[in-house]
Amino acid sequence: MGLLFLLLFANINMLRNNRQDTRNGIMESLESAVERIAVNLNTVNNILYSVYMDNDDFGLLAGGGTEAEEYSAAYELNNTLWMQQTANSCLDGYYIIYGRDASALYKINPEVIPEEDRETLKQVIRNDEGTGQITYRFNLCLESGNCYTVILYREGQVMIAGVCCLSDDLREAVSGKKGDAVIWLPEDESGNNREVERRLKLREVT
């Protein structure tokens, strides 16, 4: 009887240790994912800042021009951002909102951002009034279960937005595999996922 009790106690203790090891592993993976995301966001921010500071087409759209001038400038600005996206895989998508009627040009990586999210992102970016700042960023989750950081620069009648998808990095941190399971679970099922939300200040868009 005493031996059985010792074995039972040892088994319970081992399960506790395994659970703690699993939690520690998840938190280490989470830290790594957050650091990786921070590096990517810094790269995207530098791309947009360079356009905001030095791009003549952005400047023309900010001040406004004739319809033909704005169309040409938007076309050239779109090419500039497309080349940056081609050279930088962390820029998963970009949007250009310009003119009095808030026309939109955008390009996304279809392997990262599904079609169902493209229009939703466009509407959120177009309708986001911000805080009156030249630049700011926000995080959001869509009904698809995908989560994004959006970085915006605006001046006058033009706004550019860079989009980074967070989902694969965070899924890998929480589950150990990319594309495995859904990140956002109820709190009573996974406290670790709530920790992700707390760290990144995610807000849900439905």
Side-chain angles (χ1 to χ4, degrees):
M1 190 66 160
L3 180 59
L4 182 61
F5 176 79
L6 288 174
L7 289 172
L8 180 60
F9 177 79
N11 191 45
I12 292 173
N13 203 40
M14 183 174 65
L15 288 173
R16 284 178 178 169
N17 290 338
N18 287 342
R19 183 176 297 177
Q20 185 60 41
D21 288 344
T22 299
R23 178 176 175 78
N24 290 342
I26 289 175
M27 295 309 296
E28 288 176 7
S29 296
L30 176 59
E31 292 286 352
S32 177
V34 170
E35 289 176 8
R36 188 163 58 248
I37 289 169
V39 170
N40 289 341
L41 293 181
N42 186 59
T43 299
V44 171
N45 183 71
N46 288 341
I47 291 169
L48 298 178
Y49 178 74
S50 176
V51 170
Y52 169 77
M53 290 296 295
D54 301 323
N55 187 275
D56 291 338
D57 299 305
F58 181 92
L60 187 148
L61 291 171
T66 66
E67 184 176 348
E69 287 173 337
E70 288 186 355
Y71 179 85
S72 176
Y75 178 84
E76 293 299 329
L77 181 57
N78 185 55
N79 281 341
T80 297
L81 289 173
W82 178 78
M83 286 189 290
Q84 289 289 351
Q85 185 187 31
T86 301
N88 297 275
S89 60
C90 56
L91 180 58
D92 295 318
Y94 65 83
Y95 290 78
I96 304 168
I97 311 296
Y98 71 97
R100 297 175 185 84
D101 58 351
S103 299
L105 294 174
Y106 62 93
K107 178 73 174 177
I108 61 92
N109 181 349
E111 295 181 1
V112 179
I113 302 177
E115 184 175 357
E116 61 192 288
D117 288 354
R118 299 175 203 174
E119 189 66 24
T120 303
L121 282 166
K122 183 178 77 173
Q123 294 305 323
V124 170
I125 292 168
R126 176 184 271 164
N127 297 330
D128 199 295
E129 297 180 357
T131 60
Q133 296 175 312
I134 291 172
T135 180
Y136 65 101
R137 69 180 65 184
F138 60 87
N139 304 300
L140 69 157
C141 285
L142 303 183
E143 286 185 321
S144 62
N146 292 315
C147 301
Y148 303 94
T149 291
V150 180
I151 302 175
L152 301 101
Y153 278 81
R154 68 167 80 228
E155 183 174 336
Q157 298 182 39
V158 63
M159 175 172 63
I160 52 175
V163 180
C164 295
C165 184
L166 311 178
S167 300
D168 277 347
D169 281 327
L170 296 179
R171 284 196 182 98
E172 187 174 15
V174 171
S175 68
K177 300 183 203 175
K178 286 191 175 182
D180 183 47
V182 177
I183 299 173
W184 315 109
L185 299 175
E187 188 169 4
D188 59 348
E189 291 183 36
S190 177
N192 289 318
N193 294 333
R194 290 299 178 187
E195 177 70 6
V196 175
E197 292 186 28
R198 184 188 69 78
R199 285 169 179 266
L200 294 176
K201 296 184 175 66
L202 288 164
R203 63 182 174 89
E204 186 174 7
V205 174
T206 58

